[in-house]
Amino acid sequence: MEKLESKPDIPSGAVRAFVLCGGSGTRLRPVLADRPKSMALIGGIPFLQLLLERLRCQGIDDVILGTGYMAGKIESYFGSGNKLAMRVRYSREHEPLGTGGALKLAEPLLSDPVLVLNGDSYVDWSLVPMLERFTAKDAAMVVVLQAVGDVTRYGSVALDHDGRVTQFVEKGIRAGPGLINAGVYLVRKQVVRDLPAGTAISLERDVFPSLLDRGVYGLVCTGLFIDIGIPDDFKRAQVLLASRVSVASHDSSAPVSPGVLGDTT
């Protein structure tokens, strides 16, 4: 990820994370019928735990989980976060609100800025460069981007010479190599305040394009990226995330009990 020279004015410890993990994961139902998508087991460990471990490694230990579908599975497993040496709280949707509506629901718990993550994708993001870019550019949002061989499934993102996002293109419109939104965002809280309450809204389709005039900047990540949203990529994740699972499973502060959720086979 690009390294900037300036130091962030916002201490990393002041940033809370909000993880979107309320989706029903319909495309994974054939292989994952007994739990929410973010709790899919990767080498015996819930995928969501790998995301939380990544947050903790970046100095974030205060997390809000946006739950919905099978919320109890997530909440009973992670509890207050003590086993992960984190503070974990929950914002539960009682009806589907989309990614934007879920974020709005959690507004009272969010920091300013807040780090937002998709609960079904893993990327090797780093917080300090995001904070540096956010501060240096007085941005409304900084988004982590990833170069992929085919953007068809994800949509694409265009940048100018200064790293400013000039366009979000919806999935299915373009094909071939390019930059995609990797699902990690540092967002000014005013963006959340401006969202309508109690309304189903998509961050990706409805909110992000409207922020371009307010300053959205991208940082390109060159490390691992995997989205477990479809069965084939869920299988790939078992291999690609093996080293991350090894680290998490040997962390004495985070005992793992896969049996709490049962077996996926």
Side-chain angles (χ1 to χ4, degrees), residues 22-234:
S24 59
T26 53
R27 292 177 298 177
L28 276 184
R29 292 284 177 82
V31 296
L32 198 75
D34 66 336
R35 69 195 68 202
K37 179 169 50 174
S38 63
M39 296 302 284
L41 295 182
I42 307 292
I45 290 178
F47 182 79
L48 181 54
Q49 182 169 329
L50 299 181
L51 300 186
L52 296 187
E53 294 283 356
R54 180 72 185 177
L55 286 167
R56 192 176 62 178
C57 288
Q58 294 295 314
I60 297 177
D61 59 7
D62 195 343
V63 181
I64 301 98
L65 301 182
T67 59
Y69 176 72
M70 290 192 179
K73 296 273 189 178
I74 296 173
E75 295 167 8
S76 64
Y77 185 89
F78 291 104
S80 63
N82 289 339
K83 290 182 179 180
L84 293 174
M86 304 178 83
R87 182 188 190 189
V88 177
R89 290 174 287 174
Y90 302 92
S91 176
R92 184 192 286 201
E93 298 173 67
H94 295 287
E95 60 182 358
L97 292 173
T99 51
L103 183 60
K104 179 66 175 181
L105 184 66
E107 181 182 339
L109 301 176
L110 305 180
S111 60
D112 190 8
V114 59
L115 187 76
V116 181
L117 291 84
N118 287 345
D120 60 358
S121 57
Y122 187 100
V123 60
D124 284 331
W125 60 277
S126 296
L127 179 60
V128 169
M130 296 181 75
L131 286 169
E132 290 173 340
R133 175 58 58 91
F134 184 87
T135 302
K137 300 297 184 180
D138 193 24
M141 181 174 76
V142 172
V143 55
V144 173
L145 307 175
Q146 181 83 18
V148 299
D150 187 359
V151 302
T152 306
R153 176 181 157 197
Y154 304 98
S156 60
V157 180
L159 296 179
D160 68 11
H161 67 281
D162 195 36
R164 184 165 180 161
V165 175
T166 59
Q167 188 178 28
F168 289 100
V169 180
E170 290 190 31
K171 60 185 178 180
I173 295 178
R174 290 182 182 170
L179 294 175
I180 65 167
N181 169 359
V184 180
Y185 325 103
L186 189 65
V187 184
R188 191 173 299 278
K189 193 170 182 180
Q190 187 60 50
V191 172
V192 184
R193 294 189 185 104
D194 291 342
L195 297 178
T199 301
I201 186 171
S202 167
L203 288 173
E204 298 81 0
R205 291 192 307 272
D206 304 322
V207 179
F208 293 166
S210 71
L211 295 179
L212 295 180
D213 290 342
R214 295 167 63 178
V216 177
Y217 290 84
L219 285 173
V220 180
C221 175
T222 58
L224 173 65
F225 170 79
I226 184 72
D227 177 346
I228 64 167
I230 60 175
D232 285 348
D233 281 349
F234 175 49

